[in-house]
Amino acid sequence: MNFSSLGLNQQLLNAVSELGYTEPTPIQAEAIPAILNKQDIMAGAQTGTGKTAAFALPLLHQINACSGDEDYSLNAVRPIKALVLTPTRELAQQVYNSFVEYGKHTSLRTEIAYGGVSLNPQIKALKSGADILVATPGRLLDLLFKKIIDLKHVQSLVFDEADRMLDMGFIGEINRILRHIPTERQTLLFSATFDEAIFKLSKTLLKSPTLIEVDERNTAATQVEQIVYAVDADRKRELISHLIGAKNWHQVLIFTRTKQGADFLAKEMCKDGIKTQSIHGDKSQGARERALEEFKQGKTRALCATDVAARGLDIDQLKYVINYELPHIAEDYIHRIGRTGRAGGSGLAISLLSPDENWLLEEIEAVLDARLPQQWLPGYEPDLTKVVEVSKKNTRTAQKRRHKQRGMGKNTSNRRR
Ligand code: AMP
């Protein structure tokens, strides 16, 4: 299936193709036609499944189709037609960024409102009107009470991560917000989990919803579970130490791209109290063998290695592989994760992805012919204000690379260091 068969307008199709999306994810394939068909939906999907585009694209399409007759040129204030509620400001920022990116070839305007920062800039932005508003519940109520916004033209209401909203005790705010929104509307509810509280909420909110459930992640049938955590580069070490410590992992093989990187990371992790050594081509054979032996015997908890040093490395029942940085050669990813899950055992491969590495992930996904959805580890969410800038740059870089490769008649699997 491709995006053009979903009935989205050309501006949106151009935006997704510029982002390098070639086909809809399962949730997009199911949700987009249902939303365009004006149905309410209740969808079970986590961050990383492509759920944001699953609701953003059809909403942008619908609003764009209706805005054709309206004239916004003469200082007319645009009424808010779609409201997206999120539990946290990080998610609000991410959803807002997606709307801006997907809608960049339309003239629709998206605004954002969340707490913990000064109200004034948000008031100023909202006074000029917005077609779509992404907001956290508390700040939205502040704006409603101050009569900065009104929601009586809202046609679509989205609850993103509804389960987290309930966990965070937002039900009172949600009920107050609902009083300001027309009852005649489309409602879309996304939740990672469905428990009694969510079903109760859905009964009061949704009219004959279409139920959509997709797998948490698009992992191929394999013994190695693959997880990608999006995280800022300068917080990667902290995240690794946290994972190893909190989950009490032993024998963790960590890949870095450079020898210096392996040494530095090992030293820093020792300072965090995790006994770690490094192996790479600049170490003598003896030192490498000793480090490996101590790792196998469990005397050291983690081993930092470069790709070359780790080739052929066979450690019985190694459970955990962490990619501190993604490899520059996509096939190395397969070698790296192949260190675990051997001989029928199960394994876990975690990749830490900083915003500047998105294009490397795309190349790996192309080689695997599978998507590796990104997740956030609570407490280590990336700074999203930086992400959009970097991802725009990376899309251009990836496009240039692909163009160049095509021109040279090569594909990714031919490249070697
Ligand atoms: P989400 O689940 O909405 O947080 O999306 C997770 C990641 O998947 C984001 O980086 C999106 O840019 C990316 N994404 C969403 N839809 C697609 C698609 N159809 N193809 C490739 N990547 C996608």
Side-chain angles (χ1 to χ4, degrees), residues 183-197:
T183 47
E184 232 6 83
R185 59 162 196 262
Q186 182 177 36
T187 309
L188 316 173
L189 186 143
F190 289 79
S191 182
T193 53
F194 287 142
D195 58 10
E196 245 189 271

Side-chain angles (χ1 to χ4, degrees), residues 74-87:
L74 304 167
N75 297 332
V77 172
R78 296 159 183 244
I80 296 166
K81 298 171 200 82
L83 173 67
V84 184
L85 288 175
T86 72

